[in-house]
Amino acid sequence: MRVLGIETSCDETSAAVLGDEGQVLSNVILSQDALHAPFGGVVPELASRRHIETISAVVREALDRAKTELDQVDLLAATQGPGLIGSLLVGLSFAKGLAFYHKKPLIGVDHVEAHIEGALIENPGVPFPAMALVVSGGHTSLYFLEKPLSFELLGRTRDDAAGEALDKIAKFLGLGYPGGPVIERKASGGKAKAFPFSMPRMSDRSLDFSFSGLKTAALKIIRDNKIAKGSRKLADFLASFEQAVVSATLENLGRALAERQARSIILSGGVARNKRLRAEFEKLALAEKLAFAVPSPKLCTDNAAMVASLGLKKFRAFGPNVPAPNLGLNAYPRVSAAAAE
Ligand code: KG4
Ligand code: ZN
């Protein structure tokens, strides 16, 4: 069995091939960071156009690296949403074309659920029930998984995602894009307690997240303390802001663990590359005596291996219900209505 996964939900064009046991034979990721960097964020129209230009070569490269021909592929998996609609349509339509021509089943995969799967690829023995936190540039969502493939959304951001808040502050200070890795680099050696931030609180005690308040507080600190790209206090400020984003993210996880019995915790998404977040997440797991899973950095950010892997599991679970070639699949830009209920 060979699975070809395709991911184009935002600004990475990615294709991956998985073998019988779900082992990753190739995982090609073409980043558009340089294209969007001058704008300090992803420009949706440029992203979808670039996906169109590169998707074919990226899929070819993934097949070549896996020494696999297209007619050896048994299953196609593509990201359906959420994400930028134009970008999603490129990958999904490309996958439909391949499925139609080669008469192969095509399975649609949710991008945020695929991030959770990204953590399971290298940690297949994670015990369930599990609590999963996806922290990226587009999403900050908390899920409870009673068992594998049962994704119950407990909370999500009501405004900015955690990565988006990092990206916006980096853009404001002219530090470059994507902001998360730049902030991590420039925060190193800074004092995380130098600038205190108060934690966001939901008045209704829900497990939703909010990062816009932290962003506003950050802008006020920047103005009041005249913090700029080259200033002496920059490292202290960035370390404090990074810490505030990490604390706000993990606080909800801690609250959710008090409400629901879990045996493990999972962290994924682009911001899960952050060393401060990884360290505090591990500390929480040890304190709560829970198993934990965090992907290696390449599987944290957007990639098609996580899409192919979730596609394979869904196919094995619900396979007979997946029509080949399944051309009726539609892309959706936001967290699916079913998941949000
Ligand atoms: O998962 P991802 O590739 O795309 C989305 O689904 O959004 O995540 C990209 C996000 C960006 O906001 C980027 O700034 C952030 O992940 N990021 C980081 C780090 N590396 C990437 N944030 C903090 N620290 C990092 N080392
Ligand atoms: Zn993502």
Side-chain angles (χ1 to χ4, degrees), residues 36 47 83 85 103 138 144 176 179 186 237 260 262 288:
H36 302 289
I85 194 69
K103 298 188 179 57
F144 182 71
K186 295 201 181 282
F237 165 72
R260 304 288 280 268
E288 300 274 344

Side-chain angles (χ1 to χ4, degrees), residues 161-204:
E164 192 179 358
L166 294 167
D167 291 341
K168 283 180 178 169
I169 292 301
K171 180 180 180 183
F172 186 80
L173 290 169
L175 300 178
Y177 174 82
V182 186
I183 288 184
E184 174 162 49
R185 236 179 6 258
K186 295 201 181 282
S188 113
K191 292 190 207 68
K193 289 192 179 137
F195 296 97
F197 282 82
S198 50
M199 284 297 106
R201 289 269 183 283
M202 290 295 147
S203 52
D204 57 7

Side-chain angles (χ1 to χ4, degrees), residues 7 9-12 33 42 82-83 111-112 115 134-139 161-168 170 176-185 242 245-246 268-278 297 299-303 306:
E7 153 65 37
S9 68
C10 190
D11 61 341
E12 266 94 27
D33 281 355
V42 178
H111 179 76
V112 188
H115 269 301
V134 178
V135 198
S136 74
H139 318 280
E164 192 179 358
L166 294 167
D167 291 341
K168 283 180 178 169
Y177 174 82
V182 186
I183 288 184
E184 174 162 49
R185 236 179 6 258
E242 186 187 41
V245 170
V246 166
S268 193
V271 184
R273 283 182 168 226
N274 185 274
K275 290 189 194 71
R276 193 185 294 271
L277 177 59
R278 294 170 85 94
L299 291 173
C300 286
T301 29
D302 291 348
N303 67 89
M306 65 186 194

Side-chain angles (χ1 to χ4, degrees), residues 169 172 195-197 212-227 237 241:
I169 292 301
F172 186 80
F195 296 97
F197 282 82
S212 70
L214 287 184
K215 201 182 58 190
T216 309
L219 292 174
K220 186 169 184 314
I221 293 172
I222 291 172
R223 287 203 187 94
D224 291 352
N225 295 275
K226 299 191 173 47
I227 289 165
F237 165 72
F241 182 57

